[in-house]
């Protein structure tokens, strides 16, 4: 029995396997309805506040389109143009917004900020990315894997690169919750924290998921169904980090050679945005600085038939819609 109404959505650690499955099933249903033109605007007269302290394309658009499709209103709050932080505390903001909105989305820095928001808010708070976690992304990733392979059972996902940040942490949690084998492949200092690993090991024992931490890419990707990576320097991290990251993470780049060593039917996934070429301002600047044409993934892999990245991006909207509906309907 799933009890999701009125809950916060801060990390997948707070949800059971059954509840995560419920979100995925609901997202699949809403996706089919959207494709067939069947309206599902059941949340008319409800409103959601969208706070973004970091930039976004997918998450913001997903929340806005999802809210619109559900019949809701949405208000985007950019801290540069609001009182948040500089003139008004998170606790006060939470209480002000709770009086006007039916839910609050927050994207920003430390997980403790979204927790503080949830503590003082009387309406559900949804984490749209913090330094530590990115739980709505993981629902999209799980839906994408399930759509592609028809099942999540007996799947192995390998996360390459910076595994100690929001994406590595959250994918580890999502995989162990759903019984998917998860391997973090990185230099040891980029493995998820010991504390989180311990929590995930306990969950893996219950679900039967295998959890591995590997420094050798060739060993890690053996029999993998999904090779996943993310940018090496995340939003909010100092630009000076690039030098060190390129040096230590280049051996973990996802390229055609590595994909060859994975399972025969292995697919490539990435939360995006990605530095797979030098067509972005940062990609160009860093590409010139380090003499590289791509960083965490090469362009041929990104553009290949094995790449699910744009399906994954679309699924952000369907899964975010499922979260809003499950918490509010
Ligand atoms: N994957 C993701 O969260 O993308 P945005 O930063 O564009 O929202
Ligand atoms: N690790 C990345 C994820 C972007 C969706 C970041 O935090 O910038």
């Amino acid at each position: 029995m799933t009890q999701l109404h009125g809950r916060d959505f801060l990390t997948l650690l707070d949800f059971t396997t059954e509840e995560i499955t419920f979100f995925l099933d609901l997202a699949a249903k809403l996706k089919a309805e959207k494709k067939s033109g069947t309206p599902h605007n059941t949340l008319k007269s409800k409103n959601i506040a969208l706070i973004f302290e970091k930039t976004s394309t997918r998450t913001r658009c997903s929340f806005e389109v999802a809210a619109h499709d559900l019949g809701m209103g949405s208000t985007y709050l950019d801290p540069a143009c609001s009182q948040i932080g500089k003139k008004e505390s998170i606790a006060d903001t939470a209480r002000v917004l709770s009086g006007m909105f039916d839910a609050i989305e927050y994207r920003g820095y430390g997980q403790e900020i979204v927790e503080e928001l949830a503590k003082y808010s009387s309406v559900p708070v949804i984490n749209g990315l913090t330094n530590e976690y990115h739980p709505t992304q993981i629902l999209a990733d799980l839906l994408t894997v399930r759509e592609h392979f028809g099942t999540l059972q007996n799947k192995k996902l390998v996360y390459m690169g910076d595994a100690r940040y929001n994406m590595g942490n959250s994918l580890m949690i999502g995989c162990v919750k759903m019984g998917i084998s998860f391997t973090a492949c990185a230099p040891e200092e980029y493995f998820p924290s010991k504390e989180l690993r311990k929590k995930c090991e306990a969950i893996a024992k219950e679900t039967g998921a295998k959890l591995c931490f590997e420094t050798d890419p060739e060993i890690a990707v053996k029999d993998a169904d999904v090779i996943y990576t993310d940018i090496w320097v995340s939003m909010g991290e100092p630009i000076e980090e690039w030098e060190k990251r390129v040096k230590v993470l280049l051996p973990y780049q996802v390229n055609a050679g590595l994909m060859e060593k994975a399972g025969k039917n292995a697919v490539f996934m990435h939360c995006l945005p990605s530095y797979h070429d030098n067509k972005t301002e940062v990609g160009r600047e860093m590409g010139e600085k380090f003499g590289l044409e791509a960083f965490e993934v090469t362009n041929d892999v990104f553009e290949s038939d094995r790449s699910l990245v744009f399906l994954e991006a679309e699924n952000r909207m369907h899964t975010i819609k499922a979260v809003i509906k499950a918490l509010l309907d």
Side-chain angles (χ1 to χ4, degrees):
M1 184 62 185
T2 48
Q3 291 284 353
L4 296 168
H5 184 85
R7 300 248 311 259
D8 295 314
F9 188 87
L10 305 184
T11 156
L12 288 184
L13 283 170
D14 298 338
F15 294 90
T16 63
T17 307
E18 291 68 33
E19 288 167 339
I20 296 170
T21 305
F22 180 89
F23 284 126
L24 299 181
D25 292 345
L26 180 56
K29 178 176 167 281
L30 293 167
K31 182 172 180 175
E33 285 179 4
K34 172 103 177 164
K35 300 275 173 198
S36 68
T38 311
H40 38 233
N41 50 348
T42 55
L43 292 175
K44 280 189 204 141
S45 82
K46 302 227 184 260
N47 287 285
I48 185 166
L50 308 174
I51 306 174
F52 280 83
E53 297 207 84
K54 289 178 178 169
T55 53
S56 169
T57 296
R58 275 145 294 272
T59 310
R60 176 181 175 183
C61 293
S62 296
F63 271 97
E64 290 193 359
V65 173
H68 180 266
D69 286 356
L70 290 169
M72 300 172 71
S74 63
T75 301
Y76 177 75
L77 281 161
D78 169 357
C81 308
S82 74
Q83 315 290 25
I84 300 169
K86 293 178 294 294
K87 284 164 68 181
E88 195 153 36
S89 68
I90 288 293
D92 290 356
T93 304
R95 288 173 288 181
V96 169
L97 296 181
S98 294
M100 302 181 194
F101 293 91
D102 302 281
I104 303 168
E105 178 276 352
Y106 174 84
R107 165 172 286 200
Y109 295 86
Q111 181 72 7
E112 70 284 356
I113 304 172
V114 77
E115 280 169 9
E116 171 99 344
L117 197 60
K119 182 176 163 195
Y120 286 95
S121 164
S122 57
V123 299
V125 172
I126 304 172
N127 180 356
L129 178 145
T130 58
N131 295 345
E132 291 83 359
Y133 302 118
H134 195 6
T136 61
Q137 175 72 49
I138 307 313
L139 290 185
D141 298 339
L142 292 171
L143 182 67
T144 306
V145 173
R146 199 174 79 168
E147 279 180 354
H148 182 82
F149 291 105
T151 178
L152 295 179
Q153 275 188 343
N154 302 318
K155 293 294 159 237
K156 173 180 170 180
L157 184 147
V158 179
Y159 181 87
M160 303 290 303
D162 179 11
R164 48 104 246 165
Y165 217 65
N166 43 26
M167 282 310 304
N169 289 344
S170 295
L171 275 168
M172 175 168 71
I173 298 165
C175 285
V176 293
K177 286 268 179 184
M178 301 312 287
I180 299 170
S181 293
F182 177 85
T183 299
C185 182
E188 268 181 43
E189 60 183 305
Y190 288 90
F191 284 165
S193 72
K194 283 210 175 86
E195 195 192 344
L196 184 61
R197 282 161 63 177
K198 225 170 128 190
K199 281 187 193 164
C200 288
E201 270 152 14
I203 300 166
K205 263 199 192 123
E206 283 172 28
T207 63
K210 263 173 72 184
L211 193 50
C212 296
F213 302 93
E214 178 57 62
T215 54
D216 184 331
E218 284 194 28
I219 296 174
V221 300
K222 194 169 175 295
D223 300 323
D225 299 290
V226 180
I227 308 292
Y228 200 118
T229 192
D230 180 19
I231 51 171
W232 291 338
V233 181
S234 286
M235 288 184 277
E237 292 197 293
I239 191 115
E240 295 74 41
E241 282 294 315
W242 272 89
E243 186 136 13
K244 183 182 172 209
R245 299 280 168 88
V246 169
K247 207 157 130 198
V248 297
L249 295 178
L250 195 54
Y252 298 87
Q253 182 189 62
V254 180
N255 51 39
L258 192 74
M259 289 302 291
E260 278 300 300
K261 294 186 177 95
K264 188 161 58 68
N265 298 317
V267 293
F268 170 71
M269 292 178 68
H270 191 311
C271 55
L272 307 183
S274 162
Y275 298 123
H276 59 95
D277 59 22
N278 290 344
K279 289 186 184 152
T280 61
E281 211 178 289
V282 178
R284 201 163 34 249
E285 190 189 328
M286 294 302 155
E288 277 168 19
K289 184 164 181 192
F290 299 107
L292 290 170
E293 283 174 10
F295 290 89
E296 76 279 2
V297 55
T298 53
N299 198 45
D300 52 345
V301 171
F302 186 91
E303 296 290 356
S304 71
D305 292 346
R306 290 176 155 209
S307 173
L308 301 186
V309 296
F310 296 112
L311 174 62
E312 197 182 347
E314 180 193 323
N315 283 339
R316 296 297 311 286
M317 198 282 285
H318 305 299
T319 43
I320 281 174
K321 192 187 284 176
V323 172
I324 300 173
K325 186 172 164 65
L327 304 185
L328 295 192
D329 221 359

